[in-house]
PDB file of all heavy atoms in Angstrom:
ATOM      1  N   SER A1424      63.925  -3.808  92.360  1.00  0.00           N
ATOM      2  CA  SER A1424      64.272  -5.168  92.716  1.00  0.00           C
ATOM      3  C   SER A1424      65.654  -5.590  92.034  1.00  0.00           C
ATOM      4  O   SER A1424      66.262  -6.539  92.454  1.00  0.00           O
ATOM      5  CB  SER A1424      63.170  -6.177  92.332  1.00  0.00           C
ATOM      6  OG  SER A1424      63.217  -6.450  90.956  1.00  0.00           O
ATOM      7  N   LEU A1425      66.009  -4.956  90.988  1.00  0.00           N
ATOM      8  CA  LEU A1425      67.290  -5.289  90.322  1.00  0.00           C
ATOM      9  C   LEU A1425      68.449  -4.795  91.091  1.00  0.00           C
ATOM     10  O   LEU A1425      69.529  -5.418  91.136  1.00  0.00           O
ATOM     11  CB  LEU A1425      67.316  -4.785  88.911  1.00  0.00           C
ATOM     12  CG  LEU A1425      66.522  -5.415  87.845  1.00  0.00           C
ATOM     13  CD1 LEU A1425      66.556  -4.622  86.552  1.00  0.00           C
ATOM     14  CD2 LEU A1425      66.863  -6.843  87.643  1.00  0.00           C
ATOM     15  N   THR A1426      68.330  -3.648  91.768  1.00  0.00           N
ATOM     16  CA  THR A1426      69.467  -2.952  92.399  1.00  0.00           C
ATOM     17  C   THR A1426      69.566  -3.146  93.861  1.00  0.00           C
ATOM     18  O   THR A1426      70.674  -3.070  94.416  1.00  0.00           O
ATOM     19  CB  THR A1426      69.523  -1.479  92.008  1.00  0.00           C
ATOM     20  OG1 THR A1426      68.337  -0.918  92.545  1.00  0.00           O
ATOM     21  CG2 THR A1426      69.654  -1.255  90.505  1.00  0.00           C
ATOM     22  N   GLY A1427      68.451  -3.261  94.503  1.00  0.00           N
ATOM     23  CA  GLY A1427      68.516  -3.370  95.957  1.00  0.00           C
ATOM     24  C   GLY A1427      68.663  -1.939  96.473  1.00  0.00           C
ATOM     25  O   GLY A1427      68.780  -0.940  95.777  1.00  0.00           O
ATOM     26  N   ALA A1428      68.733  -1.813  97.821  1.00  0.00           N
ATOM     27  CA  ALA A1428      68.907  -0.401  98.401  1.00  0.00           C
ATOM     28  C   ALA A1428      70.298   0.112  98.337  1.00  0.00           C
ATOM     29  O   ALA A1428      71.241  -0.659  98.315  1.00  0.00           O
ATOM     30  CB  ALA A1428      68.404  -0.457  99.909  1.00  0.00           C
ATOM     31  N   LEU A1429      70.391   1.496  98.248  1.00  0.00           N
ATOM     32  CA  LEU A1429      71.660   2.081  98.200  1.00  0.00           C
ATOM     33  C   LEU A1429      72.346   2.022  99.634  1.00  0.00           C
ATOM     34  O   LEU A1429      71.656   1.901 100.649  1.00  0.00           O
ATOM     35  CB  LEU A1429      71.529   3.588  97.853  1.00  0.00           C
ATOM     36  CG  LEU A1429      71.548   3.948  96.373  1.00  0.00           C
ATOM     37  CD1 LEU A1429      71.496   5.447  96.285  1.00  0.00           C
ATOM     38  CD2 LEU A1429      72.781   3.411  95.674  1.00  0.00           C
ATOM     39  N   PRO A1430      73.722   2.132  99.704  1.00  0.00           N
ATOM     40  CA  PRO A1430      74.326   2.276 100.993  1.00  0.00           C
ATOM     41  C   PRO A1430      73.849   3.618 101.661  1.00  0.00           C
ATOM     42  O   PRO A1430      73.337   4.505 101.058  1.00  0.00           O
ATOM     43  CB  PRO A1430      75.830   2.389 100.662  1.00  0.00           C
ATOM     44  CG  PRO A1430      75.937   2.209  99.211  1.00  0.00           C
ATOM     45  CD  PRO A1430      74.566   2.218  98.589  1.00  0.00           C
ATOM     46  N   PRO A1431      73.957   3.684 103.058  1.00  0.00           N
ATOM     47  CA  PRO A1431      73.513   4.873 103.701  1.00  0.00           C
ATOM     48  C   PRO A1431      74.161   6.126 103.330  1.00  0.00           C
ATOM     49  O   PRO A1431      75.371   5.983 102.880  1.00  0.00           O
ATOM     50  CB  PRO A1431      73.744   4.583 105.199  1.00  0.00           C
ATOM     51  CG  PRO A1431      74.793   3.505 105.212  1.00  0.00           C
ATOM     52  CD  PRO A1431      74.577   2.746 103.937  1.00  0.00           C
ATOM     53  N   ARG A1432      73.571   7.253 103.339  1.00  0.00           N
ATOM     54  CA  ARG A1432      74.290   8.515 103.121  1.00  0.00           C
ATOM     55  C   ARG A1432      75.418   8.631 104.102  1.00  0.00           C
ATOM     56  O   ARG A1432      75.248   8.189 105.244  1.00  0.00           O
ATOM     57  CB  ARG A1432      73.402   9.692 103.325  1.00  0.00           C
ATOM     58  CG  ARG A1432      72.341   9.818 102.151  1.00  0.00           C
ATOM     59  CD  ARG A1432      71.500  11.066 102.384  1.00  0.00           C
ATOM     60  NE  ARG A1432      70.318  10.934 101.458  1.00  0.00           N
ATOM     61  CZ  ARG A1432      70.340  11.367 100.225  1.00  0.00           C
ATOM     62  NH1 ARG A1432      71.454  11.799  99.696  1.00  0.00           N
ATOM     63  NH2 ARG A1432      69.256  11.202  99.407  1.00  0.00           N
ATOM     64  N   PRO A1433      76.557   9.226 103.810  1.00  0.00           N
ATOM     65  CA  PRO A1433      77.732   9.305 104.703  1.00  0.00           C
ATOM     66  C   PRO A1433      77.325   9.686 106.141  1.00  0.00           C
ATOM     67  O   PRO A1433      77.681   9.072 107.104  1.00  0.00           O
ATOM     68  CB  PRO A1433      78.646  10.233 104.116  1.00  0.00           C
ATOM     69  CG  PRO A1433      78.343  10.084 102.617  1.00  0.00           C
ATOM     70  CD  PRO A1433      76.870   9.814 102.484  1.00  0.00           C
ATOM     71  N   GLY A1434      76.537  10.774 106.318  1.00  0.00           N
ATOM     72  CA  GLY A1434      76.171  11.206 107.677  1.00  0.00           C
ATOM     73  C   GLY A1434      75.437  10.218 108.471  1.00  0.00           C
ATOM     74  O   GLY A1434      75.323  10.229 109.650  1.00  0.00           O
ATOM     75  N   GLN A1435      74.655   9.367 107.720  1.00  0.00           N
ATOM     76  CA  GLN A1435      73.739   8.358 108.451  1.00  0.00           C
ATOM     77  C   GLN A1435      74.446   7.139 108.810  1.00  0.00           C
ATOM     78  O   GLN A1435      73.829   6.260 109.395  1.00  0.00           O
ATOM     79  CB  GLN A1435      72.503   8.149 107.519  1.00  0.00           C
ATOM     80  CG  GLN A1435      71.652   9.327 107.397  1.00  0.00           C
ATOM     81  CD  GLN A1435      70.585   9.090 106.238  1.00  0.00           C
ATOM     82  OE1 GLN A1435      70.625   8.055 105.554  1.00  0.00           O
ATOM     83  NE2 GLN A1435      69.721   9.984 106.153  1.00  0.00           N
ATOM     84  N   LYS A1436      75.677   6.921 108.414  1.00  0.00           N
ATOM     85  CA  LYS A1436      76.317   5.698 108.568  1.00  0.00           C
ATOM     86  C   LYS A1436      76.372   5.250 110.112  1.00  0.00           C
ATOM     87  O   LYS A1436      75.991   4.165 110.462  1.00  0.00           O
ATOM     88  CB  LYS A1436      77.784   5.756 108.067  1.00  0.00           C
ATOM     89  CG  LYS A1436      78.182   4.452 107.428  1.00  0.00           C
ATOM     90  CD  LYS A1436      79.243   4.487 106.474  1.00  0.00           C
ATOM     91  CE  LYS A1436      80.513   5.181 106.818  1.00  0.00           C
ATOM     92  NZ  LYS A1436      81.543   5.262 105.782  1.00  0.00           N
ATOM     93  N   SER A1437      76.817   6.237 110.960  1.00  0.00           N
ATOM     94  CA  SER A1437      76.946   5.841 112.372  1.00  0.00           C
ATOM     95  C   SER A1437      75.584   5.557 112.927  1.00  0.00           C
ATOM     96  O   SER A1437      75.379   4.696 113.799  1.00  0.00           O
ATOM     97  CB  SER A1437      77.695   6.961 113.099  1.00  0.00           C
ATOM     98  OG  SER A1437      77.151   8.167 112.791  1.00  0.00           O
ATOM     99  N   ALA A1438      74.554   6.341 112.545  1.00  0.00           N
ATOM    100  CA  ALA A1438      73.190   6.133 113.016  1.00  0.00           C
ATOM    101  C   ALA A1438      72.722   4.753 112.623  1.00  0.00           C
ATOM    102  O   ALA A1438      72.203   3.938 113.515  1.00  0.00           O
ATOM    103  CB  ALA A1438      72.283   7.157 112.440  1.00  0.00           C
ATOM    104  N   MET A1439      73.083   4.319 111.437  1.00  0.00           N
ATOM    105  CA  MET A1439      72.721   2.917 110.963  1.00  0.00           C
ATOM    106  C   MET A1439      73.341   1.928 111.841  1.00  0.00           C
ATOM    107  O   MET A1439      72.789   0.872 112.223  1.00  0.00           O
ATOM    108  CB  MET A1439      73.106   2.703 109.542  1.00  0.00           C
ATOM    109  CG  MET A1439      72.284   3.377 108.544  1.00  0.00           C
ATOM    110  SD  MET A1439      70.636   2.592 108.351  1.00  0.00           S
ATOM    111  CE  MET A1439      71.104   1.094 107.508  1.00  0.00           C
ATOM    112  N   LYS A1440      74.691   2.156 112.201  1.00  0.00           N
ATOM    113  CA  LYS A1440      75.408   1.251 113.023  1.00  0.00           C
ATOM    114  C   LYS A1440      74.768   1.043 114.293  1.00  0.00           C
ATOM    115  O   LYS A1440      74.666  -0.097 114.862  1.00  0.00           O
ATOM    116  CB  LYS A1440      76.854   1.718 113.139  1.00  0.00           C
ATOM    117  CG  LYS A1440      77.766   1.210 112.086  1.00  0.00           C
ATOM    118  CD  LYS A1440      79.294   1.508 112.454  1.00  0.00           C
ATOM    119  CE  LYS A1440      80.190   1.257 111.358  1.00  0.00           C
ATOM    120  NZ  LYS A1440      81.384   1.968 111.554  1.00  0.00           N
ATOM    121  N   VAL A1441      74.318   2.201 114.940  1.00  0.00           N
ATOM    122  CA  VAL A1441      73.726   2.187 116.274  1.00  0.00           C
ATOM    123  C   VAL A1441      72.475   1.378 116.198  1.00  0.00           C
ATOM    124  O   VAL A1441      72.173   0.507 116.982  1.00  0.00           O
ATOM    125  CB  VAL A1441      73.442   3.616 116.821  1.00  0.00           C
ATOM    126  CG1 VAL A1441      72.634   3.591 118.074  1.00  0.00           C
ATOM    127  CG2 VAL A1441      74.808   4.341 117.072  1.00  0.00           C
ATOM    128  N   VAL A1442      71.651   1.685 115.111  1.00  0.00           N
ATOM    129  CA  VAL A1442      70.388   0.947 115.026  1.00  0.00           C
ATOM    130  C   VAL A1442      70.702  -0.627 114.922  1.00  0.00           C
ATOM    131  O   VAL A1442      70.073  -1.440 115.536  1.00  0.00           O
ATOM    132  CB  VAL A1442      69.628   1.440 113.792  1.00  0.00           C
ATOM    133  CG1 VAL A1442      68.443   0.516 113.414  1.00  0.00           C
ATOM    134  CG2 VAL A1442      69.136   2.862 113.972  1.00  0.00           C
TER     135      VAL A1442
END
Side-chain angles (χ1 to χ4, degrees):
S1424 79
L1425 287 177
T1426 59
L1429 273 184
R1432 286 180 195 279
Q1435 291 170 354
K1436 214 157 54 185
S1437 49
M1439 283 289 287
K1440 268 191 190 157
V1441 171
V1442 169

